[in-house]
Every structure is written in C-alpha cells, then in structure tokens.
Amino acid sequence: LLVLAENEEGYRNLVKITSEASLNGFYYKPRVSKRFLQDHAKGLIGLSGCLKGEVAERLMEGKYDAATKAAGEFGEIFGKNNFYIEVQNQGLGQEHKILPDQYKIARELDLPVVATNDSHYICEDDSHAQDAMVCIQTGKLISDTNRMKFQTNQFFVKSYEEMAKVFSDTPDVLTRTLEIADRC
C-alpha cells in the first residue's frame, strides 16, 4: 500500500502510522492493522500498491472476490476519491494478467485508477548496478542462477513521456498521477 500525505494533518497521521508500523507492528517489514490505518486516515491518499499489495496479491492468487473486498475496505478507510487502484507495467507477465481485473474492480467500486512505476533506481542504465547491489545484500553472485533478480530493467524513475508510451491506450491514468501530485 502506498500512502501519501495530502496536507499537514495527513503528514502527522502518516508519521503516527509509520511509527506504529516500525515500533509495534514490525514483522519482517513494518506494518499496521487496517483499524489503526482507519483511525489515522484523515488527510491521506492511498494507492493499492504494486504486485505485493493486497489487492494485486489476491488477484494473482485467483481470488477476485477477496481482492474486491480488500479494495472496498481501503476505499472506506481513505474515503471517496482518496483511494486509487494502482496499475503498473514494468513488462511483467503478472501485471498483464491482473490488469483487466484491476480495471473491473475499479469500475465496480467506483474507484479511480492511477498509473505508477515501481522505481528501485533512477535511470534504466542503473539496472545492472541494482542487480549487483541485490547480490551483495543477499550474499549471492551475479553468476548464480538461483537468486533474487528483477525480471526486467524497467524499475526506474520514468519521465512523463516514457509513461505515456507504456500507457498510451489509457492516458487518463497518467492525468490522475498529476492530480494526486497537485493535491499533496
């Protein structure tokens, strides 16, 4: 889940959420309950996240109803027009597989859709350096075939023009990215 502060109250709530996640909810990664998130959601904008987000994970598991339920819960937590179904296209098969269902959920629940790019490095040329860094972090060699590895070199900060090429058939999802930026 990606959570952004829309205003100062949202910033204060985001600080509370991240503190709770790190101090009391840490289990492999920082996390909070949906109840805690709901209690501190004022002034925040939520996006459904990448393939590791709850909505996308349920879709990849073939659990459409569970994905819809999760999206609905987040929609209620953040409020009308404050929760977005996040779509990405880094060239991964899983992204293409769940994309139709993401749009279907958005239509069914009247949630806006926004395009993002999962960014782990600045430029496309940095993908090799990122790969080497992951090897260092996991104690593996680049020559190891059984290791964590990004499947494409598309996990960089893309320009508007680069994103417009990726989402040429749905330009409205890029407009929403700018709308969210203007709100924050």
Side-chain angles (χ1 to χ4, degrees), residues 8-99:
E8 191 170 332
E9 181 179 16
Y11 175 76
R12 286 192 304 272
N13 279 326
L14 190 55
V15 169
K16 289 175 188 173
I17 291 167
T18 56
S19 295
E20 173 68 16
S22 295
L23 297 174
N24 300 315
F26 196 93
Y27 183 73
Y28 292 99
K29 291 183 179 180
R31 59 197 182 133
V32 295
S33 69
K34 287 181 182 173
R35 178 67 182 161
F36 191 89
L37 186 61
Q38 183 173 2
D39 291 344
H40 300 87
K42 193 158 171 87
L44 297 175
I45 298 170
L47 282 68
S48 63
C50 65
L51 289 174
K52 289 294 185 182
E54 184 177 359
V55 175
E57 280 194 334
R58 297 299 84 80
L59 289 174
M60 289 187 298
E61 294 166 354
K63 298 177 180 176
Y64 181 85
D65 290 341
T68 303
K69 180 181 179 213
E73 289 172 347
F74 287 125
E76 289 177 19
I77 287 170
F78 290 101
K80 184 78 174 154
N81 296 319
N82 290 326
F83 180 71
Y84 294 76
I85 297 294
E86 187 174 348
V87 294
Q88 297 185 340
N89 185 353
Q90 280 92 211
L92 302 175
Q94 302 100 315
E95 293 166 337
H96 296 287
K97 179 182 174 186
I98 68 169
L99 193 61

Side-chain angles (χ1 to χ4, degrees), residues 11-12 127 130 165 181:
Y11 175 76
R12 286 192 304 272
S127 65
Q130 168 71 10
K165 286 179 187 174

Side-chain angles (χ1 to χ4, degrees), residues 73-137:
E73 289 172 347
F74 287 125
E76 289 177 19
I77 287 170
F78 290 101
K80 184 78 174 154
N81 296 319
N82 290 326
F83 180 71
Y84 294 76
I85 297 294
E86 187 174 348
V87 294
Q88 297 185 340
N89 185 353
Q90 280 92 211
L92 302 175
Q94 302 100 315
E95 293 166 337
H96 296 287
K97 179 182 174 186
I98 68 169
L99 193 61
D101 284 338
Q102 288 176 303
Y103 280 106
K104 185 177 176 186
I105 288 170
R107 279 191 308 275
E108 288 176 3
L109 300 178
D110 193 29
L111 295 171
V113 179
V114 64
T116 65
N117 199 71
D118 208 351
S119 302
H120 290 261
Y121 41 91
I122 302 296
C123 305
E124 187 174 0
D125 293 343
D126 294 337
S127 65
H128 182 71
Q130 168 71 10
D131 191 37
M133 188 174 78
V134 169
C135 286
I136 292 167
Q137 290 172 335

